[in-house]
Amino acid sequence: MSRLEQRFHDLKAEGRAALVTFITAGDPGYEASLEILKGLPQAGADVIELGMPFTDPMADGVAIQLATLRALEAGQTLARTLQMVREFRVGDQTTPIVLMGYYNPIHRFGVERFIAQAREAGVDGLIIVDLPPEHDAELADPAHAAGIDFIRLTTPTTDDARLPRVLERSSGFVYYVSVAGVTGAGSATTEHVGEAIARLRRHTDLPVSVGFGIRTPEQAAAIARLADGVVVGSALIDKIAQAKTAEQAVSDVLTLCSALAQGVRSAR
C-alpha cells in the first residue's frame, strides 16, 4: 500500500475520519513553516497538504493568496518546497504528504525532474487544480508511473456524466470541494455534503475527503460523521496571518490543529 492507502485503511479500522491539514510551504518563512509542518502530525493531522506557492493561485481565496505572497516574498521556491519534504521525512516516515498547487511551476521546473525529486523527497500525492483529466499525459501518468497518487477535485457542479472521467485515473483519495467558488468561501450544509458523498461513493471506492469552508472543531466533527476525511486550510492560514511573530504563528496553528483533531475524533 502507498502511505495514503495505508493511512485511510488504518483510520477506517479505527472507525474515524482523517484530519487533512493544508499549509502553504514557506509561510510565514522557511524555518517557521518547516516547524509547523513537523509539528502537525503530533498535533493530530493525519494527512498533510503542502501548498506549492504560485503567483496566480486562481482557485484560492484571499487567505491562501496572501499566504502564497508571503511565502514567495520570503524566498520560497519549488525546490525549497521539496527540500521541506526531505527534512520532514528525516523524522516522519508514516504521515502522508500531498503537494497541492498549479501546473505552471512544475512545467517550468520540468515534469521529469519534478517527479523524480518528489519521489526521492517522500511526496505521496499531488493535487493540481488546473490540470483536468484530458491532460493526464502531462503529469498524472508520469506521477502514477513513479508511485505518486494523483488526487482529483470534484465539486457540486461535477455531474454524473462527468464524474467517471474525473475519477478514472484518481488515486489516494477524492477531494470533494463542498462549495462552488474559491477556498475559504462559505461552507455547505451537512445535508448537501451527505448527498454529495453518497453520489461519489456510487462512482468510486476511494476515500472521500471534504474541504472548503471548514473552520471549527464543531464543523470538522459534523463532516467527519459523513466523510472519510476532513480538509482544513484557510482557518490554519488565518492563524499565521494574525500572528505577531513567527513563534506565535507556529503555536497558534498547532493549537488549532489539536482542537480540530479532537473534533474529528469525537465523531467516531
Side-chain angles (χ1 to χ4, degrees), residues 8 17 20 70 110 127 149 151 187 209 230 246 267:
F8 279 103
V20 184
R70 289 193 298 269
I127 300 174
D149 286 313
I151 296 141
S187 58
S209 295
V230 180

Side-chain angles (χ1 to χ4, degrees), residues 8 17-22 49 59-60 64 100 127 151-156 173-189 192-194 196-197 200 207-216 219-220 222-224 226-235:
F8 279 103
L19 174 61
V20 184
T21 56
F22 172 92
E49 292 179 8
D60 293 303
I64 295 177
M100 185 171 185
I127 300 174
I151 296 141
R152 298 287 189 197
L153 299 176
T154 64
T155 73
F173 64 93
V174 177
Y175 188 148
Y176 178 64
V177 175
S178 60
V179 293
V182 296
T183 55
S187 58
T189 64
H192 161 84
V193 171
I197 291 171
L200 284 168
V208 179
S209 295
V210 176
F212 282 47
I214 300 166
R215 306 188 65 86
T216 67
Q219 289 174 322
I223 298 300
L226 304 170
D228 303 297
V230 180
V231 186
V232 181
S234 294

Side-chain angles (χ1 to χ4, degrees), residues 12-117:
K12 184 175 183 179
E14 288 182 32
R16 71 169 179 88
L19 174 61
V20 184
T21 56
F22 172 92
I23 61 169
T24 299
D27 175 38
Y30 186 90
E31 294 302 329
S33 185
L34 180 60
E35 190 174 349
I36 292 170
L37 180 64
K38 289 180 175 180
L40 283 170
Q42 188 173 354
D46 299 299
V47 178
I48 299 170
E49 292 179 8
L50 188 61
M52 299 177 284
F54 175 49
T55 52
D56 188 22
M58 67 197 75
D60 293 303
V62 173
I64 295 177
Q65 287 181 25
L66 292 175
T68 288
L69 290 175
R70 289 193 298 269
L72 291 172
E73 288 170 1
Q76 191 70 11
T77 62
L78 186 50
R80 284 168 67 82
T81 299
L82 292 168
Q83 180 59 26
M84 284 182 68
V85 180
R86 290 187 193 96
E87 294 190 54
F88 175 85
R89 285 285 173 234
V90 171
D92 189 319
Q93 287 291 322
T94 58
T95 304
I97 289 189
V98 175
L99 295 185
M100 185 171 185
Y102 300 83
Y103 183 52
N104 181 279
I106 295 170
H107 179 71
R108 291 191 63 190
F109 194 83
V111 170
E112 185 176 346
R113 177 183 171 215
F114 171 76
I115 291 294
Q117 291 195 22

